[in-house]
Short mmCIF file of all heavy atoms in Angstrom, two decimals:
data_model
loop_
_atom_site.label_atom_id
_atom_site.label_comp_id
_atom_site.label_asym_id
_atom_site.label_seq_id
_atom_site.Cartn_x
_atom_site.Cartn_y
_atom_site.Cartn_z
N ARG A 1 107.13 108.35 88.01
CA ARG A 1 106.93 109.43 89.01
C ARG A 1 108.20 110.20 89.16
O ARG A 1 108.20 111.45 89.30
CB ARG A 1 106.45 108.80 90.31
CG ARG A 1 106.04 109.86 91.33
CD ARG A 1 105.37 109.19 92.55
NE ARG A 1 105.00 110.16 93.54
CZ ARG A 1 104.42 109.91 94.71
NH1 ARG A 1 104.19 108.59 95.00
NH2 ARG A 1 104.08 110.82 95.55
N ALA A 2 109.33 109.51 89.24
CA ALA A 2 110.62 110.18 89.33
C ALA A 2 110.86 111.03 88.10
O ALA A 2 111.38 112.18 88.19
CB ALA A 2 111.75 109.16 89.52
N ALA A 3 110.58 110.51 86.91
CA ALA A 3 110.76 111.26 85.69
C ALA A 3 109.96 112.56 85.70
O ALA A 3 110.45 113.61 85.30
CB ALA A 3 110.40 110.37 84.50
N ALA A 4 108.72 112.45 86.14
CA ALA A 4 107.85 113.65 86.19
C ALA A 4 108.34 114.63 87.22
O ALA A 4 108.39 115.85 86.94
CB ALA A 4 106.42 113.25 86.47
N GLY A 5 108.75 114.16 88.40
CA GLY A 5 109.11 115.05 89.48
C GLY A 5 110.50 115.64 89.35
O GLY A 5 110.77 116.68 89.96
N LEU A 6 111.38 114.96 88.59
CA LEU A 6 112.77 115.40 88.52
C LEU A 6 113.19 115.89 87.18
O LEU A 6 114.38 116.04 86.89
CB LEU A 6 113.67 114.24 88.99
CG LEU A 6 113.45 113.81 90.43
CD1 LEU A 6 114.18 112.54 90.76
CD2 LEU A 6 113.91 114.91 91.41
N GLY A 7 112.19 116.15 86.31
CA GLY A 7 112.49 116.96 85.14
C GLY A 7 112.85 116.22 83.86
O GLY A 7 113.37 116.83 82.94
N ALA A 8 112.58 114.91 83.80
CA ALA A 8 112.81 114.22 82.52
C ALA A 8 111.76 114.69 81.50
O ALA A 8 110.63 114.92 81.84
CB ALA A 8 112.71 112.70 82.67
N ASP A 9 112.19 114.84 80.27
CA ASP A 9 111.29 115.36 79.23
C ASP A 9 110.49 114.23 78.58
O ASP A 9 109.45 114.52 77.96
CB ASP A 9 112.09 116.08 78.14
CG ASP A 9 112.87 117.25 78.72
OD1 ASP A 9 112.26 118.15 79.28
OD2 ASP A 9 114.12 117.24 78.62
N ALA A 10 110.94 113.02 78.70
CA ALA A 10 110.26 111.87 78.05
C ALA A 10 110.76 110.58 78.66
O ALA A 10 111.81 110.51 79.31
CB ALA A 10 110.52 111.86 76.56
N VAL A 11 109.96 109.53 78.48
CA VAL A 11 110.33 108.17 78.91
C VAL A 11 110.14 107.27 77.72
O VAL A 11 109.11 107.36 77.01
CB VAL A 11 109.50 107.67 80.10
CG1 VAL A 11 109.87 106.25 80.47
CG2 VAL A 11 109.65 108.59 81.31
N LEU A 12 111.12 106.38 77.49
CA LEU A 12 111.02 105.37 76.48
C LEU A 12 111.09 104.02 77.13
O LEU A 12 111.91 103.83 78.04
CB LEU A 12 112.14 105.52 75.42
CG LEU A 12 112.20 106.87 74.70
CD1 LEU A 12 113.44 106.95 73.82
CD2 LEU A 12 110.95 107.06 73.84
N VAL A 13 110.26 103.06 76.70
CA VAL A 13 110.29 101.74 77.30
C VAL A 13 110.52 100.72 76.18
O VAL A 13 110.09 100.87 75.04
CB VAL A 13 108.99 101.41 78.04
CG1 VAL A 13 108.76 102.40 79.18
CG2 VAL A 13 107.78 101.44 77.10
N SER A 14 111.29 99.67 76.54
CA SER A 14 111.62 98.63 75.56
C SER A 14 110.36 97.79 75.27
O SER A 14 109.35 97.83 75.95
CB SER A 14 112.73 97.75 76.07
OG SER A 14 112.27 96.96 77.13
N GLU A 15 110.50 96.97 74.25
CA GLU A 15 109.37 96.12 73.80
C GLU A 15 108.94 95.18 74.91
O GLU A 15 107.76 94.84 75.01
CB GLU A 15 109.79 95.30 72.55
CG GLU A 15 110.02 96.18 71.33
CD GLU A 15 110.57 95.43 70.17
OE1 GLU A 15 111.46 94.56 70.39
OE2 GLU A 15 110.10 95.64 69.03
N ARG A 16 109.88 94.71 75.72
CA ARG A 16 109.57 93.75 76.80
C ARG A 16 109.36 94.38 78.16
O ARG A 16 109.19 93.65 79.16
CB ARG A 16 110.69 92.66 76.84
CG ARG A 16 110.81 91.84 75.61
CD ARG A 16 111.75 90.67 75.76
NE ARG A 16 113.11 91.13 75.98
CZ ARG A 16 114.17 90.34 76.16
NH1 ARG A 16 113.98 89.04 76.22
NH2 ARG A 16 115.37 90.87 76.34
N CYS A 17 109.41 95.68 78.22
CA CYS A 17 109.16 96.35 79.48
C CYS A 17 107.69 96.24 79.91
O CYS A 17 106.81 96.21 79.04
CB CYS A 17 109.56 97.84 79.35
SG CYS A 17 109.51 98.76 80.90
N ALA A 18 107.46 96.20 81.18
CA ALA A 18 106.07 96.15 81.68
C ALA A 18 105.27 97.36 81.21
O ALA A 18 105.81 98.41 80.98
CB ALA A 18 106.06 96.07 83.21
N ASP A 19 103.97 97.19 81.07
CA ASP A 19 103.08 98.20 80.52
C ASP A 19 102.92 99.38 81.50
O ASP A 19 102.41 99.22 82.60
CB ASP A 19 101.70 97.55 80.31
CG ASP A 19 100.71 98.49 79.64
OD1 ASP A 19 101.09 99.59 79.22
OD2 ASP A 19 99.53 98.09 79.53
N PRO A 20 103.36 100.58 81.11
CA PRO A 20 103.13 101.75 82.00
C PRO A 20 101.68 102.05 82.26
O PRO A 20 101.35 102.70 83.26
CB PRO A 20 103.79 102.89 81.17
CG PRO A 20 104.78 102.23 80.29
CD PRO A 20 104.17 100.92 79.93
N LEU A 21 100.77 101.55 81.41
CA LEU A 21 99.35 101.80 81.62
C LEU A 21 98.64 100.66 82.38
O LEU A 21 97.42 100.68 82.52
CB LEU A 21 98.66 102.07 80.30
CG LEU A 21 99.03 103.36 79.57
CD1 LEU A 21 98.21 103.49 78.28
CD2 LEU A 21 98.84 104.57 80.46
N TYR A 22 99.43 99.71 82.85
CA TYR A 22 98.81 98.69 83.71
C TYR A 22 98.39 99.38 85.06
O TYR A 22 99.02 100.32 85.50
CB TYR A 22 99.80 97.54 83.99
CG TYR A 22 99.21 96.45 84.88
CD1 TYR A 22 98.21 95.61 84.42
CD2 TYR A 22 99.67 96.29 86.18
CE1 TYR A 22 97.68 94.64 85.22
CE2 TYR A 22 99.15 95.28 86.99
CZ TYR A 22 98.15 94.47 86.53
OH TYR A 22 97.60 93.53 87.32
N ARG A 23 97.31 98.88 85.62
CA ARG A 23 96.68 99.54 86.77
C ARG A 23 97.65 99.87 87.90
O ARG A 23 97.66 100.99 88.44
CB ARG A 23 95.57 98.62 87.28
CG ARG A 23 94.80 99.17 88.49
CD ARG A 23 93.60 98.22 88.76
NE ARG A 23 94.04 96.85 88.96
CZ ARG A 23 94.35 96.36 90.16
NH1 ARG A 23 94.27 97.09 91.23
NH2 ARG A 23 94.74 95.10 90.27
N ARG A 24 98.54 98.92 88.24
CA ARG A 24 99.49 99.15 89.36
C ARG A 24 100.54 100.22 88.96
O ARG A 24 100.89 101.08 89.78
CB ARG A 24 100.19 97.85 89.75
CG ARG A 24 101.12 98.03 90.93
CD ARG A 24 101.76 96.70 91.32
NE ARG A 24 100.79 95.73 91.81
CZ ARG A 24 100.35 95.69 93.07
NH1 ARG A 24 100.80 96.55 93.93
NH2 ARG A 24 99.48 94.82 93.43
N SER A 25 100.98 100.17 87.71
CA SER A 25 101.95 101.22 87.26
C SER A 25 101.34 102.57 87.33
O SER A 25 101.95 103.53 87.81
CB SER A 25 102.40 100.91 85.83
OG SER A 25 103.02 99.67 85.70
N VAL A 26 100.11 102.70 86.85
CA VAL A 26 99.43 103.98 86.87
C VAL A 26 99.25 104.50 88.29
O VAL A 26 99.51 105.67 88.58
CB VAL A 26 98.04 103.87 86.16
CG1 VAL A 26 97.28 105.20 86.32
CG2 VAL A 26 98.24 103.57 84.68
N ARG A 27 98.83 103.59 89.18
CA ARG A 27 98.57 103.99 90.56
C ARG A 27 99.87 104.43 91.28
O ARG A 27 99.89 105.47 91.94
CB ARG A 27 97.92 102.84 91.35
CG ARG A 27 97.45 103.28 92.73
CD ARG A 27 96.66 102.20 93.41
NE ARG A 27 97.49 101.09 93.85
CZ ARG A 27 97.34 99.83 93.45
NH1 ARG A 27 96.38 99.50 92.60
NH2 ARG A 27 98.11 98.91 93.90
N VAL A 28 100.94 103.64 91.12
CA VAL A 28 102.20 103.98 91.78
C VAL A 28 102.76 105.26 91.21
O VAL A 28 103.37 106.05 91.95
CB VAL A 28 103.20 102.80 91.64
CG1 VAL A 28 104.59 103.21 92.09
CG2 VAL A 28 102.73 101.60 92.40
N SER A 29 102.55 105.52 89.93
CA SER A 29 103.06 106.75 89.34
C SER A 29 102.25 107.98 89.74
O SER A 29 102.64 109.10 89.42
CB SER A 29 103.01 106.62 87.78
OG SER A 29 101.70 106.89 87.30
N MET A 30 101.14 107.77 90.46
CA MET A 30 100.22 108.83 90.83
C MET A 30 99.69 109.54 89.60
O MET A 30 99.43 110.75 89.58
CB MET A 30 100.92 109.84 91.77
CG MET A 30 101.31 109.28 93.11
SD MET A 30 99.87 108.77 94.09
CE MET A 30 99.14 110.35 94.47
N GLY A 31 99.51 108.77 88.55
CA GLY A 31 98.95 109.35 87.30
C GLY A 31 99.95 110.07 86.43
O GLY A 31 99.56 110.62 85.41
N THR A 32 101.21 110.10 86.83
CA THR A 32 102.21 110.83 86.01
C THR A 32 102.52 110.15 84.69
O THR A 32 103.17 110.72 83.80
CB THR A 32 103.51 111.08 86.80
OG1 THR A 32 104.03 109.84 87.24
CG2 THR A 32 103.28 112.00 87.97
N VAL A 33 102.06 108.90 84.51
CA VAL A 33 102.22 108.26 83.20
C VAL A 33 101.45 108.99 82.13
O VAL A 33 101.66 108.84 80.95
CB VAL A 33 101.77 106.76 83.21
CG1 VAL A 33 102.72 105.94 84.08
CG2 VAL A 33 100.34 106.61 83.68
N PHE A 34 100.43 109.83 82.56
CA PHE A 34 99.70 110.64 81.62
C PHE A 34 100.34 112.01 81.42
O PHE A 34 99.90 112.77 80.55
CB PHE A 34 98.26 110.86 82.14
CG PHE A 34 97.58 109.59 82.58
CD1 PHE A 34 97.04 109.46 83.84
CD2 PHE A 34 97.50 108.51 81.71
CE1 PHE A 34 96.42 108.29 84.25
CE2 PHE A 34 96.87 107.33 82.10
CZ PHE A 34 96.36 107.23 83.38
N GLN A 35 101.34 112.31 82.22
CA GLN A 35 101.95 113.62 82.20
C GLN A 35 103.21 113.65 81.40
O GLN A 35 103.51 114.65 80.68
CB GLN A 35 102.23 114.03 83.65
CG GLN A 35 102.92 115.36 83.86
CD GLN A 35 103.16 115.63 85.34
OE1 GLN A 35 102.43 115.13 86.22
NE2 GLN A 35 104.21 116.37 85.65
#
């Protein structure tokens, strides 16, 4: 959500990072994981 709101062009996650598409991640991001 911070990346979307503050102008990051992309996000990269490591192999062991939690899934951005997990239900809680998606909800907290307000759907910006799709943006």
Side-chain angles (χ1 to χ4, degrees):
R1 188 172 180 181
L6 297 170
D9 301 301
V11 178
L12 301 173
V13 299
S14 70
E15 293 173 318
R16 295 188 295 179
C17 186
D19 184 8
L21 292 182
Y22 180 69
R23 181 173 55 91
R24 183 179 295 276
S25 298
V26 172
R27 187 173 74 238
V28 171
S29 81
M30 294 296 291
T32 56
V33 293
F34 311 125
Q35 178 180 332

